[in-house]
Structure formats: structure tokens, C-alpha cells
Amino acid sequence: MKKITLFKVATQSIIKNKLRTMLTMLGIVIGVGAVIIMVAIGNGAQSQIEKQIGNLGTNMIVITAGSTAQGGVSQGAGTFNRLTIADADKIKLNSTLLNAVSPVIVTRTQIIGGLGNWRTGVNGVSTDYLTIRNWGVSSGELFSDDDVRSKKKVVVLGNTVATNLFPDGNAVGAQVQLGRSPFTVVGVLSPKGQTATGNDQDDVVLVPYTTAQDRLSGFSFLAQILGSTSSTAVIPAAIEEVKLLMRDAHNLNGGNVPDDFTVRDQTAIAAAATSTTSVMTGLLAAIASISLIVGGIGIMNIMLVSVTERTREIGIRMAIGARGSDVLTQFLIESIVMSVLGGVIGLLVGLGGAAILGKFTGWATATPWSAVFIAVGFSAAVGVFFGYYPARKAASMNPIQALRYE
Amino acid sequence: MPAATARPAAGGPVISLDKVVKRYTMGTNEVLAMRGVDLIVEPGEMVAIMGASGSGKSTMMNIIGCLDTPTSGSYVLDGVPVNGLSRNQLADLRNQKLGFVFQGFNLLPRTTALDNVELPMLYDRAGRWTDTRATAAAALTRVGLGARMDHEPSELSGGQQQRVAIARAIVTQPTVLLADEPTGNLDSHTTVDVMSLFQELNEQGITIILVTHEPDVAQYAKRIVEMRDGRIIRDVPVADRHNAKADLASMVSDDALAVVA
Ligand SMILES: Nc1ncnc2c1ncn2[C@@H]1O[C@H](COP(=O)(O)OP(=O)(O)O)[C@@H](O)[C@H]1O
Ligand SMILES: [Mg+2]
């Protein structure tokens, strides 16, 4: 029998048994739909994170206290808060590759003014901070180097803080109280959005680091030192330079002492974040794939029942001249057509489901083309794999016994 | 498979069974369903095979129909020695030289008459058929169902279903038409109706072998072969052959009389 007529015979029998066909396909529809939705969510999260990391600042280098490569040996708690203003100054003064350097002091406090009060994060920074973070002000301006030198009590509000305390937009020039000290608002930052982990980057206020040390945090250690280069190309060299300067500043040169600080750039942070999400995507897809396999077993199940149920039909076909291979191919085509059809429907369900989910939860979803092809290809493979055994069973029947089957 | 399609020299028998034995083994039980059967059927014959239940009629039909192979003895179908052929060669032989009609009609359910009749041509590997739809339609017209082509079996009477089955059996122009109790499920009127179709087809040159245990039905054939315990005990020409068409006409007038009375 020609392949095309076999295809016709197979599709006829699929159409003739609509309910059975739908039930058979259901497993594959759910399986493929689940895989597509999971991959869409994982993939969406990943591109979201990449975007947000780009948002952190271009060509940024982050120096934090403590080593990440201490071979499992925990360093004492005291060794952690060892970034100082002196370190930041030394880098600022001696670096040839960094065009901006800012210490960052992090604390939290209550800010009172405008409509009431608001608890928020305070970052004590230098005037380079906005350059490094690729950030700007929407009104007013950042404090000046003079303000930093003279420890002036001036503050720049993040967008969230400003909209909560000064919804009318009249923040600049207003007096607020930070902790126990009065501050003057000199600017409002432009909105930055959420971080990859869902933190609101606009829920923050910036003050001169000198003022922060004096009036707010009460300690002199830094959370981070941030720096930026003028181009991505020099980042590796800049990291090496900063490491040397830091080792010098911490008197680690000469000995075989490990770094007591860590220098990272965006690619390292991005790699860590995206590898986490790609592991998550893989995990989600793997879980969803299990439902695809269950769907395949469903196909095999119904095909086996169908082969038994259609024993007489198989006998008739053989009596009028069907070869075993004709019967095998017919049943195989039936199972492949059903699973591919199920795969395509599942694909549409998945794409629709991902879109609806994205709309209601606000999650970013993105379906890569590869997932589409893999889903359909995989469901065809499921059809072949789980359809073969029942088809084989049908093909090896004895025509006389098959004809006599009630 | 050229051997199966090659026609013998003109005049050879269509079927030639020589000392055919069929033994079924079920565990320690052995059944000798055929105990050395010799049978020659010439082209154009219409043979009725009779005998009590269990006498081996179906077994012989299965062997003649290449659905089964003899335990010993030889079988030559239309010049082709069947012994030792593979499963695929037997399938091709059934497709090209044989037509089957069963007691239970055995049509594909939820499939139109036309699709049912077209089916054997779709399994043809010798490329004999070009317009399978038209050929199937012609066969249905030939059995008087030209107006019922799009009907599914469930929409047809028993007699009509058997006509579809006959159309399917003859559509490939087989050498032999095999019918195992073709009227077993039909009432007497429809039985005569179907037999008139068999007689008509036989007149057109188709060799027919049919199994029946009704002596009335056997009277429509040209030759009666009787079996008992796996052996042929009687093989005679039909002396007083009935004409089904004439019987049908008289039955119709009887019915008419009955209605009048
Ligand atoms: N597949 C089989 N397995 C075992 N015994 C069988 C089988 N087919 C038929 N027989 C036996 O062979 C004998 C002849 O059967 P069969 O040819 O069907 O007779 P008939 O058609 O004349 O009634 C019976 O005794 C039957 O039980
Ligand atoms: Mg029988």
C-alpha cells in the first residue's frame, strides 16, 4: 500500500473515533502545554534578569569585603567589614582605568517630612555614584563634592520615597528629618524599577557618605565600593588593577595571603543570576516533560485497547491482502498523527496559557522558537516510541484468529 | 513477487489440493481437521462444500484462501505452489487471486460501502489499479447497490451488507471467490437473493467455492462436495440445479398471493 493511502486510512480511523482520539491526545496536549508554559516562564524570568542587570549600571565593578575563594575555610566575622573610606580613596586616587569610584554605606532609617514618615534604605555615596549606576535625577540635582567634603545634610530621594512623601512633586527644597537630623531635599531620582530579586530600587535615599558616617550609620565600614570603567573592554584589566590596589591597601602584598575582599563585574553577577534561572528553567521543563511521558503512556494504553478492539478489522484487512507491514504502518501513523496533533494543540494551549498567565501575574514570559520545534518533534517521537509496541502487536496477528475474534 | 502474478498455461485447474492434511495441536490434544484431501477445481465452476459442523469445511476454506497453510500435502493456486510461501507472499496472493465473503459480512464499521469496496485495491502492490474510486463504484453497481455507495454498514440491511462484501470480493477480479456460509445470517428470501447474485457472477466467469449446510442453497451450485471427519466423502455434479432468479420471481408472486388471500 502506498504511504499516502496508508496515511488516508490512518487519518480516516482517527476521524471516525473522535472521542477516542481526543482522549488519546489529551495527555500529549497537557504535556506539551505544560512544557511550553514552564519554558516560557523560565525564559521570561531569565531575560527579565538580564535586563535588570544591565539596568544596574554599565561597566560596573563591585568590591565587597570577604573572600569568595577561601576553600571552605570560614573567615572570622571581624574580617568582613574591612572596606574603608581609605580603600575607596586609594582606588580613586591611583586607578588609571576607573573613571568613577564611590564608597557605599548602607543603613536604614525613618524619614519624616511631607505627608508623614517612611522607612527606607539610606545609601551614603559620593558624587560618582549616579555615573556608575547609570542613573539620573528627575528633578533638582545631586549633592556636590563640596557638600560631601563639608558633610552637608542634604538628601536625594528615590522615586518611591518621593511619591509617598511628596505626591504633589514639590519635594525639592523641602525639609525632612532623617534619624534625628534635619536634611534638605536637593533632588529626586528618576525611576529605576525592581531588581531581579524583586526589590524596589527606588525605595532609597542618597546622602553624602561623609554625612552618613557622621549622622546616620555611626560606623565607618563600607558595604561596597563601586567603580566603573569607560568601556567594557578594559573591565578585566581594571579588576586586576583594583585587586592590586586593594591588596596594597590591606597590606597583603608579598605573602601568600588570600584576598580578604572580592572584586566582581556585571558579567559575573549576570552569569550567577542567569545560571540560577536556567537551572530553574531546566528543572521546570524536566518536571513538565514527565507529563509528556505520562501522555505517551496514555497513547500506548489507548492504542493497545484500540488494537484489541479492532482485532476483527485487522483480520479483515489481512484477509483482503494487507501485509503485516501495512498494518504496522497504519497503526504507527495513527499514533504519530494523534501525538503530533496533540503536540500542536498543546503548543497553542501553552502559548495561550503563558500569555494569560503573564497578563494576570505580571510575570514576563517568552517562548523561544527552539521550544516550539522541540515540543512538536518530541511529541512525534512519543508517538513513534509508544505507538510501536501496539502497532507491532497488531501486525503480528494471525488473520484467521483475528477474523474469528468477537 | 512475479511467481504469484504469473498465469499458468491456459486450461490448468484453479485449485489443486493433493493429499492435504491439517493438524491442530493444542497442548497434548491433537485434532486432525483435514485427513488427506484431494480436490481439483476448474475455472468457471461453482462448488458447494457441505458437511456437518466440525467436519473441516472452514479449515479447507482457510487453506484454499491462503489464510493458513497445510501441515502436509501440496496446494497449487492458479499455477502457483503455495507451500513454503512467506507471510507477505500469502498476503499478496490473497490480494491478487482471492476474494472472500464471510458469514458475518465483515465490513469495516463506520466506513461507507464505497470505502469498504475500495480497500482491497489500496493494498495492491502490483499497481493494477489506477482509478480505485471508479472501479469500486462499478463493482457496487454490479451487485445492485449503485444507489447506496455512501451508506455505512449500520445503514444497510443484512442482504445489502452481504452484497457490499461480495462487491469487495470481486472488485479485484479474483481467480476464485470463496464464501464460508455466506447465507448463514440471512433470511430465506435474502438467501435466494444473494444466491442469484452468485449465479450471475458465476455466469460472467468467476469461479466460486461456497460452504453451506443448507441443501437448498447447495442446489444453486454446479457441484457438491461433502465432507465428514476431515475427508471428502462425496463429490457429485448437481443434477437438478436451481435457478435463483426464477425462485425469487416465484417467491415474489407467492408473497403477492398471500397478501391477496
Ligand atoms: N485453530 C484451531 N485450533 C484447534 N482446533 C481447530 C482449530 N480450527 C478448527 N479446529 C478443529 O478442527 C475441526 C474442523 O473444524 P472446522 O474446519 O472449523 O469445521 P467446520 O467449518 O466444518 O465446522 C474441528 O474439530 C475444530 O474443533
Ligand atoms: Mg465452519
Side-chain angles (χ1 to χ4, degrees):
Chain A
M1 198 185 220
K2 285 187 225 104
K3 287 285 171 290
I4 181 78
T5 36
L6 262 180
F7 191 80
K8 202 181 104 188
V9 165
T11 45
Q12 266 175 0
S13 119
I14 288 173
I15 293 164
K16 260 178 252 153
N17 297 284
K18 288 193 186 66
L19 184 66
R20 192 185 68 198
T21 304
M22 267 156 47
L23 286 175
T24 311
M25 290 191 317
L26 198 60
I28 295 289
V29 170
I30 292 171
V32 170
V35 169
I36 294 290
I37 290 177
M38 293 303 164
V39 170
I41 290 173
N43 220 52
Q46 198 159 330
S47 57
Q48 184 98 332
I49 284 169
E50 277 161 15
K51 210 174 83 197
Q52 282 162 340
I53 284 167
N55 217 9
L56 282 175
T58 46
N59 308 332
M60 187 167 83
I61 287 174
V62 182
I63 304 153
T64 47
S67 167
T68 51
Q70 63 275 79
V73 180
S74 158
Q75 319 218 324
T79 61
F80 263 77
N81 289 328
R82 284 199 53 185
L83 289 181
T84 61
I85 301 291
D87 296 335
D89 286 345
K90 187 179 177 82
I91 293 169
K92 171 91 179 165
L93 207 63
N94 295 302
S95 169
T96 54
L97 296 167
L98 295 180
N99 61 3
V101 176
S102 172
V104 182
I105 291 171
V106 174
T107 182
R108 283 189 78 78
T109 192
Q110 193 85 6
I111 171 167
I112 305 169
L115 284 188
N117 62 67
W118 187 257
R119 194 165 170 78
T120 188
V122 180
N123 283 1
V125 297
S126 81
T127 52
D128 278 355
Y129 185 75
L130 293 190
T131 314
I132 299 166
R133 292 293 314 273
N134 196 21
W135 210 341
V137 289
S138 60
S139 66
E141 55 190 4
L142 187 66
F143 41 80
S144 66
D145 283 329
D146 271 348
D147 294 338
V148 175
R149 237 172 279 127
S150 58
K151 304 181 185 176
K152 218 161 175 191
K153 287 179 277 182
V154 284
V155 62
V156 176
L157 305 183
N159 190 57
T160 303
V161 180
T163 48
N164 277 287
L165 294 182
F166 301 97
D168 298 336
N170 52 355
V172 177
Q175 290 293 315
V176 295
Q177 192 178 322
L178 274 181
R180 264 181 237 108
S181 313
F183 277 68
T184 307
V185 178
V186 293
V188 175
L189 293 168
S190 52
K192 190 88 169 163
Q194 292 192 337
T195 65
T197 47
N199 290 327
D200 181 4
Q201 299 184 82
D202 297 315
D203 189 5
V204 76
V205 299
L206 304 182
V207 298
Y209 68 89
T210 48
T211 320
Q213 253 177 338
D214 241 33
R215 302 277 168 182
L216 299 169
S217 79
F219 51 78
S220 57
F221 294 120
L222 306 179
Q224 310 174 313
I225 300 170
L226 299 183
S228 69
T229 60
S230 51
S231 83
T232 322
V234 298
I235 285 180
I239 289 175
E240 287 315 306
E241 189 188 49
V242 166
K243 279 184 177 169
L244 280 176
L245 290 170
M246 283 296 295
R247 287 184 71 83
D248 196 31
H250 286 193
N251 293 318
L252 300 173
N253 282 344
N256 220 353
V257 195
D259 294 348
D260 60 358
F261 57 88
T262 306
V263 184
R264 282 174 304 162
D265 65 340
Q266 293 302 292
T267 52
I269 298 168
T274 51
S275 82
T276 310
T277 48
S278 70
V279 164
M280 187 185 80
T281 308
L283 200 67
L284 289 176
I287 292 167
S289 305
I290 293 173
S291 58
L292 204 50
I293 291 170
V294 172
I297 294 170
I299 284 208
M300 177 149 81
N301 214 332
I302 300 209
M303 288 300 290
L304 277 174
V305 171
S306 158
V307 164
T308 310
E309 195 183 81
R310 289 156 70 190
T311 299
R312 191 182 269 268
E313 174 194 327
I314 295 163
I316 296 168
R317 290 182 185 276
M318 287 180 163
I320 62 177
R323 288 185 178 188
S325 59
D326 291 327
V327 175
L328 181 98
T329 318
Q330 181 195 331
F331 277 85
L332 214 49
I333 290 177
E334 274 185 35
S335 103
I336 294 171
V337 167
M338 279 194 287
S339 54
V340 169
L341 209 62
V344 170
I345 294 173
L347 181 67
L348 298 177
V349 167
L351 292 176
I356 290 168
L357 203 69
K359 212 175 172 74
F360 282 100
T361 60
W363 297 346
T365 58
T367 316
W369 276 106
S370 57
V372 172
F373 291 116
I374 290 170
V376 175
F378 199 70
S379 48
V382 163
V384 174
F385 187 79
F386 291 104
Y388 185 79
Y389 175 68
R392 173 86 245 162
K393 209 178 146 182
S396 57
M397 277 184 186
N398 174 330
I400 301 171
Q401 277 158 14
L403 277 170
R404 221 186 272 144
Y405 186 85
E406 294 298 332
Chain B
M1 200 188 59
T5 48
R7 283 236 148 212
V14 177
I15 281 159
S16 162
L17 294 181
D18 187 25
K19 299 189 200 65
V20 167
V21 172
K22 183 67 191 179
R23 181 186 298 119
Y24 291 112
T25 319
M26 301 193 315
T28 53
N29 247 18
E30 274 201 354
V31 181
L32 267 176
M34 287 172 78
R35 305 169 184 243
V37 171
D38 299 321
L39 182 70
I40 304 278
V41 177
E42 300 291 342
E45 283 201 79
M46 182 165 172
V47 184
I49 296 174
M50 299 192 69
S53 181
S55 57
K57 308 182 294 290
S58 294
T59 302
M60 183 161 82
M61 289 296 267
N62 288 340
I63 286 175
I64 293 174
C66 298
L67 290 165
D68 209 349
T69 48
T71 309
S72 70
S74 77
Y75 169 36
V76 179
L77 167 63
D78 200 19
V80 181
V82 176
N83 293 54
L85 293 186
S86 70
R87 249 172 87 96
N88 282 347
Q89 287 171 318
L90 290 174
D92 292 350
L93 213 51
R94 290 197 292 272
N95 184 250
Q96 286 157 14
K97 292 189 183 293
L98 298 163
F100 292 91
V101 177
F102 305 93
Q103 179 176 0
F105 320 136
N106 275 342
L107 299 174
L108 292 192
R110 285 171 301 213
T111 306
T112 64
L114 193 63
D115 284 339
N116 262 294
V117 175
E118 188 188 17
L119 204 55
M121 291 182 282
L122 301 184
Y123 288 114
D124 182 83
R125 282 170 193 274
R128 290 190 295 167
W129 313 107
T130 46
D131 192 348
T132 55
R133 298 303 276 179
T135 313
L140 277 170
T141 308
R142 200 169 162 195
V143 300
L145 284 179
R148 297 268 195 283
M149 298 199 204
D150 296 327
H151 287 53
E152 294 180 0
S154 58
E155 301 161 343
L156 296 169
S157 71
Q160 287 170 332
Q161 287 186 56
Q162 197 59 301
R163 279 172 179 267
V164 176
I166 293 168
R168 185 180 64 189
I170 61 166
V171 74
T172 53
Q173 297 173 2
T175 317
V176 195
L177 180 63
L178 300 173
D180 195 346
E181 308 204 27
T183 59
N185 283 7
L186 302 175
D187 60 52
S188 58
H189 186 278
T190 319
T191 295
V192 181
D193 189 44
V194 165
M195 289 316 294
S196 86
L197 179 56
F198 275 129
Q199 282 190 330
E200 197 184 311
L201 294 171
N202 181 241
E203 247 126 66
Q204 292 163 6
I206 299 178
T207 310
I208 297 173
I209 303 177
L210 64 99
V211 169
T212 181
H213 47 241
E214 294 169 70
D216 288 351
V217 171
Q219 287 304 308
Y220 294 114
K222 291 175 177 168
R223 171 183 169 191
I224 294 177
V225 170
E226 195 177 338
M227 295 189 75
R228 183 189 293 161
D229 297 334
R231 286 194 183 86
I232 291 174
I233 54 162
R234 198 163 69 101
D235 186 347
V236 293
V238 176
D240 177 24
R241 192 182 183 212
H242 288 199
N243 183 316
K245 201 158 274 164
D247 287 356
L248 211 53
S250 71
M251 281 167 91
V252 169
S253 57
D254 282 354
D255 289 350
L257 281 176
V259 171
V260 171

